[in-house]
Amino acid sequence: MTDRAPARRSVPPRVLLVDPYVAREDPMERKFVELYPSLGLLTLGAYLRGQGVEVEMADLTFARDARPVTTRLRSFRPDVVGVHTKTLTHDRSVEVAQRARAEGVFSVAGGPDAATRTQEYLSAGFDAVVPSEGEGALVELARRVHDGVDASGISGLVLQRDGRLVRGPSRPFLRDLDSLPLPAWDLVDMEAYLGKWQHNTGERRAAVLTSRGCPFDCSWCSKPTFGRTFRQQSPERVLEELRALKDRYRVDYVRFCDDVFGVSRPWIDRLLTLLIEERLDLRWECLARVDLLKPDLLKRMRVAGLERVYVGVESGSQKMLDLMNRGTRLGQVERTAAALRHEGIRQFWFLMLGYPGETLEDIEATLQLFRKFSPEEYSVSIAVPVPGTRFHDSVKDRLTGRARNSKSSGGSTLLYEAAYPEVLYRWQQARFGLEAALGKARDHLSPRVVEGIGHAADRFHERVATPLLIGKKPPARAAP
Ligand code: B12
Ligand code: SF4
């Protein structure tokens, strides 16, 4: 739609933020997805308010459909509706843009999916896209639309004019994350999230972000919004946020949502000191790299409340870790897994199958590593070539063209012509499932029985399953 005529100069600009994720229509939700409000939107909301913009939010997480958006559009009469996009919620996002258009409201999309396929979002009905950090661009957009001024040329904003993309100059990233206000938790129904957690786990869990970006460069990782930049809040500012969550919402368990937690050793040391000295008595979890989790650090993290760590182990083959440009060594994986076990900290391993160059021997090495450490939790996915990554570039002439949507990109579908057929990877995923079950059975069955089942399964895999499954398609090219 075109930018609005001058209106309501005496009242401040208004923005309606929308999280289009509807939990009840997500088939993965019950099994895998953990429900937290979008930290991106809560931070945008707080920032907008700080700049004199009035903000409301339509969070569809617990809704049946997108109808509450229209209700809010009519009651709040915003100048701009801003939608947070993920691939999973693409269709709902487009529906929100159409609802906004029907009410004559300017719509803008931000977040990872709109950043990756900006043109598609504009063609589907959005008036603008912010493909990177959103704070500054959204404030400027809200003011311009409110004042009836053309939105083209805003730094960090992309529009479409006569079918062509019109990009504003790039906007520098915020330098000082401490200057951001605390997330505007009151924009969503925090009790709905916390109550659900309390019901499921007995804990009131909330998500916290202490940094933006990641300085590492894994070949398959998509970092559409913040790229390789890395900025972090001070440990003191993090503590302020934790205290607010505890005091205002009785939160007792925190998930640190950073891409990688504890990138800087002095930073994490200081945060741990604060957590221990201030006796916040919070339990927490985070995602970290095996090269950063030194045993002495893990000990202090446990004392400060760490209960669970997600680690990107990815492969039990050094060759594969190198091909992925992961920057980690198998020795570090083993040292960290042993230290986590020693400290009694739960470990959740991410593993990946089907990355270019992987042979059956590499998969076997991954399974043996898994068997050796029996992590409490794991996820083993088939490598997804995400557009914009080096992995995607290396296989783009071998993509199978299967729809890129939530159901097929969840790591259980082969999206490019890999070395082996999809059924082989599915079979391997099932082997990890059996291995995990055997790991748990060790507490109840005799080691001889467990090992016997494991060996029988290995023999079946070698002699029957692999020849049968590979027979359908011989191993193809090796390295990318
Ligand atoms: C933490 C996290 C989670 C957490 C919590 C998410 C939450 N509620 O906050 C959990 C573990 C629950 C989770 C779940 C999932 N996640 Co997640 N997650 C992340 C992670 C690591 C950080 C997100 C975050 O908080 N970033 C910090 C905030 C400040 O940034 P932001 O949200 O991008 O917002 C900024 C800009 O994008 C922009 N912006 C965002 N929205 C808008 C809207 C407007 C109008 C404007 C103008 C700007 C704007 O401005 C914001 C502030 O600068 C990202 C990776 C990443 N680094 O982004 C993956 C990521 C977002 N997740 C991803 C995925 C795939 C998922 C799942 C689908 C995984 C699954 N199969 O279960 C689910 C979906 C859950 C859902 N409800 O939608 C993908 C999304 C890819 C895509 N194209 O869709 C990412 C990018 C990881 C990746 N590289 O693959 N996730
Ligand atoms: S996979 Fe993790 S460590 Fe690697 S680049 Fe992505 S966010 Fe960084």
Side-chain angles (χ1 to χ4, degrees):
M1 70 165 269
T2 50
D3 308 332
R4 284 179 147 199
R8 303 185 308 186
R9 276 181 193 280
S10 53
V11 295
R14 288 183 177 170
V15 172
L16 177 68
L17 297 171
V18 179
D19 188 340
Y21 176 72
V22 177
R24 67 169 60 214
E25 60 184 25
D26 178 3
M28 307 277 274
E29 197 267 322
R30 238 162 268 132
K31 259 163 110 184
F32 302 114
V33 177
E34 307 203 321
L35 290 185
Y36 297 107
S38 157
L39 286 168
L41 288 181
L42 296 189
T43 309
L44 282 171
Y47 186 85
L48 288 166
R49 279 177 175 169
Q51 300 292 316
V53 177
E54 271 184 35
V55 186
E56 283 197 8
M57 185 156 152
D59 177 10
L60 300 184
T61 304
F62 300 107
R64 290 182 173 275
D65 50 38
R67 273 178 295 182
V69 173
T70 299
T71 313
R72 285 296 187 90
L73 284 167
R74 290 180 183 163
S75 62
F76 183 49
R77 299 304 306 162
D79 297 287
V80 171
V81 56
V83 185
H84 176 75
T85 65
K86 288 202 181 81
T87 307
L88 189 68
T89 54
H90 170 269
D91 295 355
R92 275 273 179 244
S93 300
V94 170
E95 185 192 336
V96 172
Q98 284 157 359
R99 285 175 182 268
R101 184 158 292 193
E103 299 297 320
V105 179
F106 190 102
S107 63
V108 55
D113 201 40
T116 321
R117 37 178 178 163
T118 300
Q119 172 98 58
E120 260 181 81
Y121 274 82
L122 291 170
S123 302
F126 276 93
D127 297 307
V129 167
V130 173
S132 188
E133 194 162 70
E135 281 81 0
L138 190 53
V139 168
E140 219 178 311
L141 176 68
R143 288 183 183 146
R144 289 241 202 136
V145 176
H146 181 70
D147 292 345
V149 178
D150 181 24
S152 58
I154 295 178
S155 308
L157 189 91
V158 186
L159 301 158
Q160 191 165 240
R161 292 278 187 267
D162 304 323
R164 285 184 40 242
L165 288 193
V166 181
R167 286 179 189 274
S170 63
R171 182 179 286 270
F173 288 110
L174 292 170
R175 263 204 249 148
D176 176 18
L177 294 191
D178 277 8
S179 66
L180 287 173
L182 293 177
W185 297 296
D186 61 291
L187 286 174
V188 295
D189 182 354
M190 278 296 274
E191 202 45 48
Y193 287 94
L194 293 167
K196 193 163 180 0
W197 276 113
Q198 195 160 15
H199 178 262
N200 292 343
T201 66
E203 288 141 351
R204 293 171 67 81
R205 295 191 182 198
V208 170
L209 199 88
T210 73
S211 63
R212 286 187 178 183
C214 164
F216 298 97
D217 191 23
C218 307
S219 309
W220 37 260
C221 181
S222 149
K223 296 193 279 189
T225 41
F226 301 131
R228 274 188 77 187
T229 61
F230 179 69
R231 295 152 289 151
Q232 58 190 346
Q233 292 175 331
S234 66
E236 287 73 14
R237 168 63 175 72
V238 177
L239 199 80
E240 184 194 343
E241 189 162 329
L242 296 176
R243 198 183 286 288
L245 280 169
K246 201 173 152 71
D247 294 347
R248 289 186 213 168
Y249 299 102
R250 291 183 292 119
V251 164
D252 51 17
Y253 191 105
V254 163
R255 175 174 183 145
F256 287 108
C257 281
D258 306 67
D259 285 349
V260 180
F261 189 66
V263 166
S264 146
R265 182 67 197 248
W267 182 94
I268 181 94
D269 275 336
R270 174 74 185 141
L271 181 66
L272 295 178
T273 302
L274 288 173
L275 283 171
I276 294 166
E277 282 176 359
E278 301 285 321
R279 294 175 193 275
L280 239 59
D281 199 23
L282 282 171
R283 283 169 300 136
W284 49 279
E285 62 184 33
C286 63
L287 192 154
R289 285 173 57 99
V290 292
D291 47 342
L292 301 174
L293 291 172
K294 304 275 167 28
D296 65 316
L297 178 64
L298 273 176
K299 193 180 276 304
R300 291 196 73 219
M301 289 168 99
R302 201 236 325 124
V303 173
L306 176 61
E307 289 228 325
R308 174 159 82 152
V309 178
Y310 294 84
V311 274
V313 171
E314 311 304 349
S315 176
S317 154
Q318 187 62 51
K319 179 194 92 187
M320 291 315 302
L321 294 178
D322 295 344
L323 280 175
M324 293 170 179
N325 199 33
R326 187 76 189 135
T328 52
R329 313 287 313 162
L330 277 180
Q332 293 166 331
V333 174
E334 300 216 355
R335 182 197 67 196
T336 303
L340 284 165
R341 181 62 38 83
H342 178 75
E343 295 298 336
I345 299 166
R346 291 178 75 80
Q347 42 194 311
F348 184 121
W349 285 19
F350 289 110
L351 298 166
M352 188 187 286
L353 301 177
Y355 191 80
E358 188 183 57
T359 61
L360 288 176
E361 289 71 34
D362 297 315
I363 298 178
E364 206 51 40
T366 307
L367 191 92
Q368 292 309 324
L369 186 74
F370 189 79
R371 184 173 281 173
K372 183 168 174 187
F373 290 99
S374 280
E376 286 83 1
E377 295 161 275
Y378 75 103
S379 127
V380 56
S381 57
I382 302 177
V384 176
V386 179
T389 62
R390 283 200 302 285
F391 169 28
H392 184 269
D393 288 350
S394 74
V395 300
K396 64 174 182 293
D397 56 344
R398 290 191 268 153
L399 296 176
T400 55
R402 294 164 87 164
R404 191 175 151 239
N405 61 31
S406 56
K407 285 162 205 85
S408 67
S409 61
S412 56
T413 306
L414 191 59
L415 298 173
Y416 81 106
E417 287 171 30
Y420 308 105
E422 179 180 291
V423 64
L424 185 276
Y425 296 110
R426 296 270 189 128
W427 164 250
Q428 296 284 4
Q429 285 178 316
R431 289 184 74 206
F432 281 87
L434 173 69
E435 205 52 53
L438 288 176
K440 293 203 170 78
R442 279 197 186 94
D443 296 341
H444 313 289
L445 299 174
S446 88
R448 268 193 39 223
V449 174
V450 172
E451 264 162 43
I453 300 173
H455 285 142
D458 284 351
R459 276 201 304 279
F460 178 76
H461 165 71
E462 278 159 30
R463 294 181 192 168
V464 183
T466 304
L468 192 76
L469 299 176
I470 288 188
K472 293 186 178 168
K473 179 176 178 282
R477 300 167 248 203

